[in-house]
Amino acid sequence: MRLDRYVSQAAGVSRAAVRTLLRRGAVSIDGRVVKAADLHVPAGSRVELEGRPLALPGPRYFMLHKPLDVVCSTSDGGHVTVLGLLEEPRRELLHPVGRLDRDTTGLVLLTDDGAWSHGITAPRRHRDKVYRATLAEPLAPEAVARFAAGLMLNGEDRPTLPARLEILAPTEARVTLHEGRYHQVKRMFAALGNRVIALHREAIGGVVLDPALAPGEYRALRADEVEALR
Ligand code: URA
C-alpha cells in the first residue's frame, strides 16, 4: 500500500493532511524519515507518526439485517445506505459485499477486506445464496422443476444454472441460487409469469442471517463465519 494511503487510514486523517505531515518529516518507516507519498510500505514494516507507531485498522467483518428502502452502495444519492446504518469508526473504509435491491431485505455482509469480498462475489467462486420470496400468484408445483432445469431470462442468451425452489406455502418459496445475475430472483419468477412482492435474503455460503438481528441491526461476524466464506 502507498505510504500516504497507509498513514491516512491508520491515523484517520485526510491525504492532504498526510502530505503536510510527510513534508514536515513526521513519518518514519523502520526508524528512517520518509517524505515520498507514493512509497510502497513493505509488509511488516514499522511505520511511526511523530514517534508513535501506526497500525492499519481492521480487517473488519459484519453482517447487517438490511431493512427496506436502504441502498447497498457507498454513496447515498438521497437514500440511506447500508454504511449509514453502521456506528463504527472509519466506516467509510467498509463496503458491502455484493448488492441487494432497495426493496429486498435481509443479509448483507460488510467488510474492509477487499480480497475476502472479492472471493465471495467473483463469479467463478460463487457462494450459494438463499432467498425467501413472497409471490403475487400461487406457485404451480411444476415451478420446482422449471427452476431446476434453468430458465431463460428476459434479454439473456443462456439459461440460468439449476436453482433449488422449495414451495413453503402457495405464495411463499425459498430459492437457492448458485450464481448471481442482475435482479435474478425477481426475473426468474417473472419468467414463470409470476411477480415477487417481497424478497428477503436468508443466507450466503452457509452463513445465516442472525435471527436476533432486527431490521437495521448488525453485528461482527464470528471467526468461523469469516473463515467459512474465505
Ligand atoms: N434477486 C433479486 O431479484 N433481487 C435481489 O435483491 C437479490 C436477488
Side-chain angles (χ1 to χ4, degrees), residues 3 22 25-34 46-51:
L3 180 60
L22 289 171
V27 179
S28 66
I29 299 182
D30 293 332
R32 290 177 55 175
V33 169
V34 275
R46 184 169 42 88
V47 182
E48 290 180 340
L49 173 62
E50 290 168 335

Side-chain angles (χ1 to χ4, degrees), residues 21-182:
L21 290 165
L22 289 171
R23 273 196 301 274
R24 277 197 2 232
V27 179
S28 66
I29 299 182
D30 293 332
R32 290 177 55 175
V33 169
V34 275
K35 296 194 172 182
D38 61 353
L39 190 98
H40 174 76
V41 179
S45 47
R46 184 169 42 88
V47 182
E48 290 180 340
L49 173 62
E50 290 168 335
R52 288 191 310 275
L54 286 181
L56 284 177
R60 296 176 287 175
Y61 308 92
F62 300 101
M63 70 159 69
L64 166 76
H65 185 164
K66 179 187 145 348
L68 282 173
D69 275 333
V70 170
V71 294
C72 273
S73 63
T74 43
S75 61
D76 60 17
H79 293 285
V80 177
T81 69
V82 285
L83 285 188
L85 297 176
L86 304 186
E87 289 174 13
E88 295 296 320
R90 317 283 343 264
R91 68 181 179 196
E92 70 280 6
L93 300 179
L94 297 159
H95 61 269
V97 180
R99 300 206 162 195
L100 283 184
D101 298 336
R102 205 173 104 201
D103 60 359
T104 301
T105 58
L107 177 61
V108 172
L109 303 171
L110 297 117
T111 186
D112 51 11
D113 182 343
W116 184 79
S117 62
H118 181 71
I120 298 168
T121 54
R124 69 190 166 78
R125 295 166 71 181
H126 185 83
R127 311 303 170 124
D128 286 359
K129 299 201 178 75
V130 183
Y131 296 88
R132 190 165 172 139
T134 307
L135 287 311
E137 308 293 336
L139 284 161
E142 51 273 20
V144 174
R146 305 270 314 268
F147 267 59
L151 288 161
M152 195 58 93
L153 301 183
N154 200 8
E156 300 215 3
D157 53 13
R158 62 186 169 87
T160 55
L161 291 180
R164 179 175 154 84
L165 177 71
E166 292 166 75
I167 300 180
L168 307 171
T171 58
E172 203 66 33
R174 179 171 291 120
V175 180
T176 304
L177 296 184
H178 312 296
E179 62 183 334
R181 301 194 199 181
Y182 183 65

